[in-house]
Amino acid sequence: MLICWLMVALSVAACGGAPSTPSGSVPNMTLRVAQNTNSISFFPFYVAEQKQFFTKEGVTLDPSPPSLLGTGPKLTAALESNSIDVAAGSVTDAFTLSRVDSYIKIVGTFADAFLLDIIVSKQFERQTHLSASSSLAEKVQALVGKKIGISSPGSTNDALVTFLLRQQGLDALRDVTKVSLGGNNPATGLGALAQGRVDALAFPVPVGQEAEAQGIGDIFISPARGDVPEMQGQLYGVLFARQQTLDAKPKAVQAFIRGLAQAEKWIHQNPTQAKALLGKYLKQNQEMTAAIFQACLPGLPQSPQISQQAYTTANQFHVKAGLIAIALPYQSLVATDTITKALSGLPGSA
């Protein structure tokens, strides 16, 4: 009889009746990670993999490098369907998802500047007689009646257009035509701009730099450059996950944050080597890489820790852009305990 009961117990355990990580067992150190694109914002992840910071921390990414899902809605859908454990996207994605899922937690930042620009065609500039040096009000008014390329509705690109128009008392649904280009693919955006299918793009760095290098267009409005004072120091790129993942894989998530922290610090401490890696990452020549690096380095944080001020600025932007109805409390959305525990494990931490 005892043997029979033992066999039943073993069968139950094999079928998942027992806890997946009982006390004293080896923690699951594999994380399924995905990101929106391979734009400049995600450069710290490339550095972490190239320098093996994730591996040294004992976390395994599945797949490696992370999957590129193209748009925020696809990224959040993957997280909600449990296809991935951790999402690397814009804070817009995290805010939007938190409206329908109260278990979403932000666990780190990899971009502390709004690295997304409004890029206009050469024809647009000839018609309006405006340039990057014109006033913000003049530039936004000039967009009225124009076709603006975005990645998808409800995306960060969409939010930027809406925010800028609302600042000038304009309506993004009535005063411009937003053209969804299905993602932030640079070739798609530049092709649409060159062919006249759109008059402007709301696209991430380095699309604007590429447009200027190819003579297709120019960076017209750049929050990271300081063109929009209300957006200075805004939280932009974040890691987020569901609370269930933080509970099930705490060691893996913390190791992932530590790997990212080392990459962010390394970029700032080794600018020459970082610039060389950036050229490989973006597949750009030395001159273009130098321009992009100089423009974006201030927006790449030196730690995944999330500043409450940067979070508040992002919160206000999203309320004004109409993506969220009310500001979301820092304490309810940012997993400060997880971040603190992760970073306390780094050499030299207090």
Side-chain angles (χ1 to χ4, degrees):
M1 179 65 72
L2 178 60
I3 293 175
C4 291
W5 279 111
L6 285 173
M7 292 179 67
V8 170
L10 289 171
S11 297
V12 171
C15 294
S20 57
T21 54
S23 177
S25 67
V26 177
N28 185 343
M29 295 298 288
T30 298
L31 285 179
R32 298 167 299 163
V33 181
Q35 62 191 59
N36 280 354
T37 66
N38 58 355
S39 67
I40 183 67
S41 303
F42 300 94
F43 178 53
F45 296 102
Y46 179 78
V47 170
E49 291 203 282
Q50 293 296 307
K51 303 300 293 183
Q52 298 187 333
F53 291 134
F54 292 138
T55 302
K56 291 173 183 176
E57 287 298 326
V59 64
T60 300
L61 304 192
D62 178 23
S64 180
S67 301
L68 302 178
L69 300 188
T71 67
K74 290 181 180 178
L75 186 72
T76 55
L79 193 65
E80 280 296 281
S81 66
N82 197 37
S83 298
I84 60 174
D85 297 314
V86 177
S90 71
V91 70
T92 301
D93 303 327
F95 280 158
T96 302
L97 186 55
S98 71
R99 294 186 307 175
V100 296
D101 186 344
S102 61
Y103 294 100
I104 292 301
K105 297 294 181 182
I106 298 175
V107 296
T109 176
F110 52 89
D112 276 345
F114 201 93
L115 299 174
L116 195 151
D117 302 319
I118 299 294
I119 307 141
V120 297
S121 66
K122 293 291 188 181
Q123 183 178 358
F124 175 98
E125 292 178 294
R126 288 192 294 269
Q127 290 174 344
T128 62
H129 304 290
L130 297 177
S131 67
S133 62
S134 302
S135 72
L136 180 60
E138 288 178 315
K139 289 187 282 190
V140 175
Q141 289 286 345
L143 294 173
V144 172
K146 303 300 184 182
K147 294 176 290 184
I148 304 175
I150 62 172
S151 62
S152 61
S155 62
T156 307
N157 319 56
D158 189 3
L160 176 60
V161 175
T162 299
F163 177 82
L164 292 173
L165 290 168
R166 285 187 174 184
Q167 274 195 317
Q168 304 302 322
L170 299 169
D171 188 326
L173 295 177
R174 181 191 65 227
D175 294 320
V176 299
T177 300
K178 296 176 183 176
V179 180
S180 179
L181 298 177
N184 287 316
N185 186 299
T188 301
L190 292 173
L193 195 66
Q195 296 161 18
R197 290 190 285 119
V198 296
D199 303 293
L201 294 170
F203 260 51
V205 178
V207 175
Q209 285 80 3
E210 292 184 34
E212 291 180 343
Q214 296 179 31
I216 294 172
D218 290 296
I219 299 171
F220 196 52
I221 302 173
S222 174
R225 190 170 59 193
D227 295 352
V228 190
E230 294 86 346
M231 297 177 65
Q232 285 292 287
Q234 176 174 329
L235 183 65
Y236 179 62
V238 297
L239 291 174
F240 55 103
R242 304 189 78 229
Q243 183 63 51
Q244 290 89 326
T245 297
L246 305 189
D247 294 337
K249 299 181 178 182
K251 298 296 184 183
V253 173
Q254 290 171 32
F256 185 68
I257 295 170
R258 284 195 297 275
L260 176 62
Q262 292 173 69
E264 292 175 346
K265 186 175 181 180
W266 184 89
I267 290 170
H268 288 270
Q269 291 184 338
N270 303 274
T272 302
Q273 296 176 57
K275 198 181 302 181
L277 274 184
L278 181 63
K280 294 179 180 178
Y281 174 66
L282 296 176
K283 298 179 175 61
Q284 296 285 358
N285 61 41
Q286 189 173 1
E287 183 178 358
M288 175 70 74
T289 299
I292 295 170
F293 189 78
Q294 181 178 3
C296 297
L297 185 61
L300 299 179
Q302 298 192 46
S303 167
Q305 191 68 260
I306 295 173
S307 149
Q308 188 153 2
Q309 182 178 349
Y311 178 90
T312 299
T313 303
N315 228 334
Q316 294 170 346
F317 166 82
H318 285 81
V319 171
K320 292 177 181 178
L323 290 181
I324 55 177
I326 58 174
L328 304 169
Y330 175 91
Q331 293 79 4
S332 67
L333 196 55
V334 178
T336 52
D337 286 348
T338 296
I339 299 171
T340 300
K341 287 179 181 177
L343 299 182
S344 67
L346 288 173
S349 299

